[in-house]
């Protein structure tokens, strides 16, 4: 079952920069796809087109068979969790409150939202007894990224988009986060598209890896084994 389908997608920014060209990409339900390539080759632009933070200039994007350009953006984003490097937690709110924001936004009662947020913190490996009442600056970089993942999962979206989610984390913590995230992804059956410039991370995490090249073109798309066999 194809969850995300990009057909002939291109993006030319207003200043004339061509960020993405002629991109065809299919992501299956429950699949973890990693977009990799040098800086400036259109990975983030592609991700932002999928959740419609940016409009494609050409082509079509479908999620679960629905065209994202005609979908209601609020409805669309409810089905998509978005994790970025600068996750932007509210600095003056406790961790629990940061995660409760999303269920509250969707009309849950305070008690239900708190229970859900507590469950999510546990899910991403943060002990609520230790961390729920702390503020973002009292957490390490890796712990803050976990909170970002918890918040992205709060609405239980079938799709997660992640842009360099582990980029700001030191290498040892990073490998642990990668492994834990993979387990979480598999257990929850989420469809994930993740951007990285780190080829090792891409090969370690991707069920399939999309290699972007200069000019926003897709150079290769396949399993890590396929890419290693035909570099
Ligand atoms: P990546 O994520 O692979 O680093 P991006 O998608 O961020 O690449 O950028 C692709 C290209 O588009 C780059 O040349 C970048 O400078 C350009 N770009 C990104 N955002 C904008 C923008 N808002 N306006 C104009 N050009 C942009
Ligand atoms: P990391 O390598 O994951 O970035 P840090 O060195 O930043 O880890 O943090 C190590 C530990 O110190 C973490 O458990 C974190 O919760 C705690 N910590 C970091 N900053 C503060 C702070 N300002 N107040 C209290 N605890 C902190």
């Amino acid at each position: 079952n194809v969850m995300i389908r990009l057909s002939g997608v291109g993006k030319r920014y207003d200043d004339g920069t061509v960020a993405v060209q002629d991109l065809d990409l299919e992501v299956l339900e429950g699949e973890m796809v990693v977009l990799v390539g040098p800086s400036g080759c259109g990975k983030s632009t592609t991700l932002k087109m999928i959740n419609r933070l940016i409009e494609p200039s050409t082509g079509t994007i479908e999620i679960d068979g629905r065209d994202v350009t005609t979908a209601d953006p609020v409805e669309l984003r409810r089905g998509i969790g978005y994790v970025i490097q600068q996750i932007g937690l509210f600095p003056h709110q406790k961790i629990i409150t940061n995660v409760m924001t999303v269920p509250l936004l969707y009309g849950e009662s305070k008690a239900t939202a708190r229970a859900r947020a507590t469950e999510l913190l546990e899910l991403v490996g943060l002990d609520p007894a230790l961390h729920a009442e702390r503020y973002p600056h009292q957490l390490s970089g890796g712990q803050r990224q976990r909170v970002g993942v918890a918040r992205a999962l709060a609405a239980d979206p079938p799709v997660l988009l992640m842009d360099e989610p582990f980029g700001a984390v030191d290498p040892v913590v990073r490998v642990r986060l990668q492994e834990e995230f993979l387990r979480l992804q598999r257990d929850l059956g989420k469809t994930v598209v993740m951007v990285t410039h780190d080829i090792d991370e891409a090969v370690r995490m991707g069920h399939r890896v999309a290699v972007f090249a200069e000019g926003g073109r897709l150079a290769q798309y396949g399993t890590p084994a396929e890419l290693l066999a035909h570099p």
Side-chain angles (χ1 to χ4, degrees), residues 13-15 17-19 37-46 48 163 195:
Y13 284 106
D14 290 342
D15 67 359
T17 305
V18 176
S39 175
C41 62
K43 307 182 297 294
S44 298
T45 299
T46 300
K48 288 176 187 161
D163 197 337
V195 164

Side-chain angles (χ1 to χ4, degrees), residues 98-138:
N98 265 282
V99 181
M100 283 168 67
T101 305
V102 178
L104 287 175
L105 194 69
Y106 291 127
E108 298 290 357
S109 72
K110 229 172 159 174
T112 308
R114 176 173 289 273
R116 174 84 182 128
T118 304
E119 182 185 288
L120 287 162
L121 289 177
E122 278 169 359
L123 194 66
V124 299
L126 287 174
D127 182 352
L130 287 179
H131 300 296
E133 303 299 323
R134 300 174 95 184
Y135 289 89
H137 76 275
Q138 295 172 310

Side-chain angles (χ1 to χ4, degrees), residues 5-222:
R5 177 182 278 124
L6 287 77
S7 313
V9 169
K11 176 64 188 180
R12 184 192 166 96
Y13 284 106
D14 290 342
D15 67 359
T17 305
V18 176
V20 175
Q21 292 185 67
D22 204 19
L23 176 60
D24 295 320
L25 195 70
E26 280 184 1
V27 180
L28 304 177
E29 190 175 355
E31 190 176 28
M32 169 96 193
V33 164
V34 180
L35 315 182
V36 70
S39 175
C41 62
K43 307 182 297 294
S44 298
T45 299
T46 300
L47 214 58
K48 288 176 187 161
M49 288 192 288
I50 296 172
N51 66 359
R52 238 188 114 192
L53 291 172
I54 295 178
E55 297 285 332
S57 312
T58 61
T60 58
I61 301 176
E62 289 172 354
I63 296 185
D64 211 6
R66 289 169 58 209
D67 187 337
V68 303
T69 53
T70 55
D72 169 31
V74 176
E75 188 63 26
L76 177 75
R77 285 186 206 123
R78 189 173 181 159
I80 302 176
Y82 188 44
V83 183
I84 56 176
Q85 195 171 308
Q86 303 300 332
I87 40 174
L89 299 177
F90 302 118
H92 304 298
Q93 289 185 354
K94 293 175 176 175
I95 297 307
I96 188 82
T97 317
N98 265 282
V99 181
M100 283 168 67
T101 305
V102 178
L104 287 175
L105 194 69
Y106 291 127
E108 298 290 357
S109 72
K110 229 172 159 174
T112 308
R114 176 173 289 273
R116 174 84 182 128
T118 304
E119 182 185 288
L120 287 162
L121 289 177
E122 278 169 359
L123 194 66
V124 299
L126 287 174
D127 182 352
L130 287 179
H131 300 296
E133 303 299 323
R134 300 174 95 184
Y135 289 89
H137 76 275
Q138 295 172 310
L139 266 56
S140 71
Q143 290 169 335
R144 278 198 293 269
Q145 285 311 107
R146 290 173 193 266
V147 178
V149 173
R151 199 169 59 178
L153 290 170
D156 199 18
V159 174
L160 270 185
L161 305 178
M162 312 215 292
D163 197 337
E164 301 269 3
F166 313 122
V169 179
D170 74 68
V172 177
V173 176
R174 189 175 173 138
V175 170
R176 199 168 69 224
L177 284 183
Q178 289 168 352
E179 286 168 357
E180 288 186 18
F181 182 79
L182 273 182
R183 208 173 314 131
L184 189 71
Q185 184 271 339
R186 195 187 51 215
D187 291 351
L188 300 179
K190 301 291 180 194
T191 305
V192 180
V193 183
M194 184 180 107
V195 164
T196 183
H197 61 265
D198 177 352
I199 187 72
D200 292 332
E201 180 167 271
V203 166
R204 192 154 46 219
M205 294 191 71
H207 298 153
R208 283 193 290 174
V209 176
V211 183
F212 281 61
E214 298 289 332
R217 289 182 185 282
L218 187 60
Q220 284 179 298
Y221 189 34

